[in-house]
Amino acid sequence: MAPTMPKRRLEKIGMGVTGACTALVTLVVIALIVMVAGKGMAAFLKDGVSPIEFFLGKTWDLHNTRPDGMPWTGALPLIVTSFAVMTLSTLFALPIAIGSAIFAVEIRPDFGRRIFQPMVELLVGIPSVVFGLIGFHVIVGFMKFAFNTSTGLGILPAALVLSIMILPTITTFSIDALRAVPASYRQGSYALGCTRWQTIWHVVLQAAAPSLITAVILGMTRAFGETLAVRMVIGGIEAMPGGLLDAASTITTTLTTSMAVYADGSVQSDVLWSLGLLLMGMSLIFILIIHYVGSKGAIKRG
């Protein structure tokens, strides 16, 4: 029988494997950030695109050029549309998600644990193209009928589709946040004579507030970065929208439709990389907010 490997040697192997995995993940993240940052900054450093024009300009048209020979690179319409869609979808989904989480945890916990939460988690795995198809045939059709528009495409249908997509994410994390509140908090509130709804509003939600905020930010992050479903119902017009039923385009939809059109290294390609850098920067900001909220919640609980 072969001798067993010494425990110290096994520990060294385990530490080496896990350390290598950590180093690989760190290297991939750093390489990704450096690559996107280098490509994204090329439009400003190499091609001479004005940052003021990029962030505040209202005309985005990479096919045509200005009198100075540069394409129209005003990304403000794309930025405004991205934030409008994200904000509206969050406002639509948030009350439903929080209300469902309260019912599943505080009102009917057995139903929530056995039936509701597994059913909601199934929605997370549905491909975004399915939501896009449903949105195109149902929501867009309703917009045509309800508002008597020619296409039914625009910011409002995109926000409605996104609200359905982010609803499972916010709901699932909200349920976990409410369940993490210690039972002693509820018992103490009942002992003081508070009703169930007073306990939920003043004790449970207050204690779970940092985790609930994290759930909302995660939903907003997905809404901000979603592409395919939004592209199918928003219209794809790269102009400043005048209303919620005007066809528009977000940062992600513009990237998917334009990136393969222009040669690598051209001004247009570099500007599109700048959009990617902006998108990655917003994602990093969301992540930092999540960490900040989580740390503040940990300090508060401590």
Side-chain angles (χ1 to χ4, degrees), residues 92-106:
F92 292 152
L94 182 58
I96 300 174
I98 299 297
S100 300
I102 292 174
F103 182 84
V105 176
E106 303 295 330

Side-chain angles (χ1 to χ4, degrees), residues 6 26 31 37 51 56 62 118 141 161 180 191 208 296 298 301:
T26 304
L56 300 180
L62 300 184
V161 171
K296 296 292 286 186
R301 288 191 297 269

Side-chain angles (χ1 to χ4, degrees), residues 55-60 74-81 155 237-243 246-249:
F55 287 102
L56 300 180
K58 297 181 180 180
T59 303
W60 178 274
L76 185 60
L78 311 179
I79 298 172
V80 170
T81 303
I155 293 177
I237 303 299
E238 295 160 344
M240 184 68 75
D246 288 347
S249 183

